[in-house]
Amino acid sequence: MSAPMCRQPRTAELLASARAHQARYLADLAELVAIDSGSYSPRGVNRVADWVQARLDRIGFTVDRIQSPDLLDHRHRAGDTLVARRQGRLTEAEGGRRILLAAHMDTVFEEGTATERPFRLDGALAHGPGVSDDKGGLLAGLTALEILDEHGLEDYAELVFLATPDEEIGSSSSRAITEEAARGVHYGLGLECARENGDLVIARKGVADFRLTVTGRAAHAGIEPERGANAALAAAHLVVALQALNGCWDDVTVNVGVVRAGTRANIVCPEAELRVEVRAATATDIQRIDRAIQEAAANPGVPGTTVTVEQLDLCPPMEDTAASREMFAEAQKAAAGLGFAVGATATGGVGDANLIAGAGIPVLDGLGPIGGADHTPQEWLNTSSVSQRVALLAALVTALGKSATTS
């Protein structure tokens, strides 16, 4: 037997609810921004986690709080990761869909920044550390979930809310948790804030980091240089060859960011190291550039030298797919019902949405309020966009929660 039908609220009702939450949203945002929660400040991140967990508890989510098992470096452990779940009224057989909403609790700022640069309002613009990236988006997600709860909107199989502690430093401690949370969901919604022009994010480049170690042969530079094999020279050839890969494929960038070689000027350099970052819009392009790096390394150009290539890390791209375009079409319809239009854009920046996409899940990101100047003292959030964006998020969850092909 199918689940009983419930009346779907009009978008105007969702917008009215979002507007009713506006004053509380601003007070809550001020409270969150006042917490120093840099990636290397686990106590601050966990204060945010306490706050988020309490809000999720109140609206019927079951919260799993996971401590980081590993040190981020020799001194710091990441804060906790939250994975919260709430079952809906529908089974998957009845067309219910499982939706993952993802935000992060950490910022890029050091301890003391919240005191030095406290939350403030300048007209419609809010300022403060993390106000846009990502405390504004995190809070928008929680507010949208509260509105869904108030309206009794449960036409979905499950909602999963993910809050991570280390997105700003690559999500090393939370990556496996994110990938596990994404397993089996139908849609991913990223709560990073919208672009400055209001666009949602339809795609993010992937990033691969490589280390190339060049091995040569030492010799006395003055007496018998011919017995040496200069690894620094081979590294120089490699830098030129790798930088020349830029422009070979659309939306692919290659950057040799670190070069290290030698210890003394009177020794033919026996070893060098390159650190290379690659960004690409598709997994296919990352594979292409990997092969190109391997080919360059196989021909270092200096007799007697060899090169080994290690891929140190890979953050998969969030690709612009047909499925994500269908999600965007639903967002456009919801926005039109709320009286505004949204566009879609691609960006070279990465985030937790990449990891969700890497698990094979269609993702739409940038669903927080409009903000900008992230990672700078000028960071801002446009508070006049909050009600519309919260209502948009609630409407989008409602639209995606049940398969359109199920009666």
Side-chain angles (χ1 to χ4, degrees):
M1 177 183 288
S2 297
M5 296 295 291
C6 68
R7 186 184 72 83
Q8 298 296 304
R10 297 187 302 273
T11 51
E13 294 177 79
L14 295 176
L15 182 57
S17 294
R19 285 172 173 160
H21 279 260
Q22 176 87 359
R24 182 185 176 191
Y25 178 98
L26 293 177
D28 290 342
L29 184 60
E31 185 176 347
L32 286 175
V33 169
I35 301 172
D36 280 312
S37 60
S39 309
Y40 295 106
S41 301
R43 284 181 294 181
V45 170
N46 284 343
R47 284 180 60 197
V48 175
D50 293 341
W51 195 97
V52 172
Q53 183 173 1
R55 291 287 284 266
L56 291 165
D57 286 339
R58 287 200 291 270
I59 54 173
F61 278 75
T62 300
V63 183
D64 187 14
R65 186 159 174 162
I66 305 163
Q67 292 184 339
S68 171
D70 302 314
L71 294 176
L72 297 171
D73 55 25
H74 296 300
R75 303 182 308 279
H76 302 91
R77 189 179 301 276
D80 299 343
T81 303
L82 301 183
V83 182
R85 300 177 183 274
R86 176 170 170 168
Q87 300 300 310
R89 299 171 55 254
L90 302 177
T91 66
E92 290 189 36
E94 293 168 331
R97 292 294 177 257
R98 301 178 64 223
I99 302 172
L100 172 63
L101 297 89
H104 64 91
M105 301 177 287
D106 62 320
T107 75
V108 300
F109 300 105
E110 301 295 329
E111 288 281 350
T113 307
T115 299
E116 295 169 3
R117 198 158 41 81
F119 179 86
R120 65 181 175 87
L121 282 172
D122 182 8
L125 298 185
H127 297 277
V131 69
S132 167
D133 187 18
D134 184 31
K135 291 178 178 179
L138 172 75
L139 184 55
L142 293 171
T143 305
L145 294 179
E146 289 171 341
I147 290 171
L148 293 174
D149 180 63
E150 290 168 6
H151 285 276
L153 291 172
E154 297 180 319
D155 278 357
Y156 51 81
E158 184 182 43
L159 296 183
V160 184
F161 191 88
L162 171 72
T164 58
D166 59 342
E167 187 270 350
E168 295 291 6
I169 52 173
S171 303
S172 60
S173 74
S174 62
R175 177 170 183 163
I177 300 168
T178 297
E179 292 169 340
E180 178 62 27
R183 187 171 298 163
V185 305
H186 297 91
Y187 303 108
L189 302 178
L191 301 178
E192 297 281 359
C193 283
R195 305 297 91 176
E196 293 188 18
N197 65 355
D199 281 354
L200 306 183
V201 176
I202 195 74
R204 292 181 177 274
K205 285 186 177 181
V207 180
D209 292 325
F210 296 88
R211 175 166 59 207
L212 280 67
T213 302
V214 186
T215 301
R217 188 169 54 251
H220 193 295
I223 298 174
E224 46 189 11
E226 70 281 357
R227 294 193 175 188
N230 196 317
L233 179 58
H237 284 295
L238 279 170
V239 170
V240 173
L242 296 179
Q243 290 292 149
L245 295 173
N246 285 291
C248 292
W249 300 280
D250 291 340
D251 294 324
V252 174
T253 59
V254 180
N255 182 58
V256 182
V258 178
V259 181
R260 299 187 182 96
T263 57
R264 296 174 66 94
N266 61 352
I267 299 173
V268 174
C269 178
E271 188 170 89
E273 178 183 288
L274 308 181
R275 295 290 293 270
V276 183
E277 183 198 80
V278 172
R279 295 193 182 225
T282 68
T284 298
D285 280 339
I286 287 180
Q287 292 166 1
R288 285 174 178 158
I289 205 70
D290 187 348
R291 289 193 295 270
I293 291 172
Q294 298 286 351
E295 290 171 6
N299 300 281
V302 176
T305 62
T306 58
V307 183
T308 59
V309 180
E310 302 168 83
Q311 184 175 293
L312 301 177
D313 193 23
L314 173 63
C315 179
M318 171 185 151
E319 298 193 28
D320 186 343
T321 66
S324 59
R325 283 286 166 180
E326 290 176 6
M327 294 174 68
F328 175 62
E330 291 290 348
Q332 285 183 304
K333 284 191 280 188
L338 293 164
F340 67 102
V342 291
T345 193
T347 178
V350 302
D352 287 336
N354 291 71
L355 304 179
I356 299 167
I361 310 304
V363 183
L364 190 62
D365 202 356
L367 285 160
I370 296 171
D374 297 351
H375 300 189
T376 76
Q378 291 75 42
E379 183 178 6
W380 57 270
L381 185 83
N382 186 344
T383 64
S384 66
S385 72
V386 168
S387 296
Q388 284 186 330
R389 297 295 164 144
V390 167
L392 172 62
L393 183 55
L396 184 58
V397 170
T398 302
L400 296 176
K402 183 178 179 181
S403 170
T405 61
T406 302
S407 60

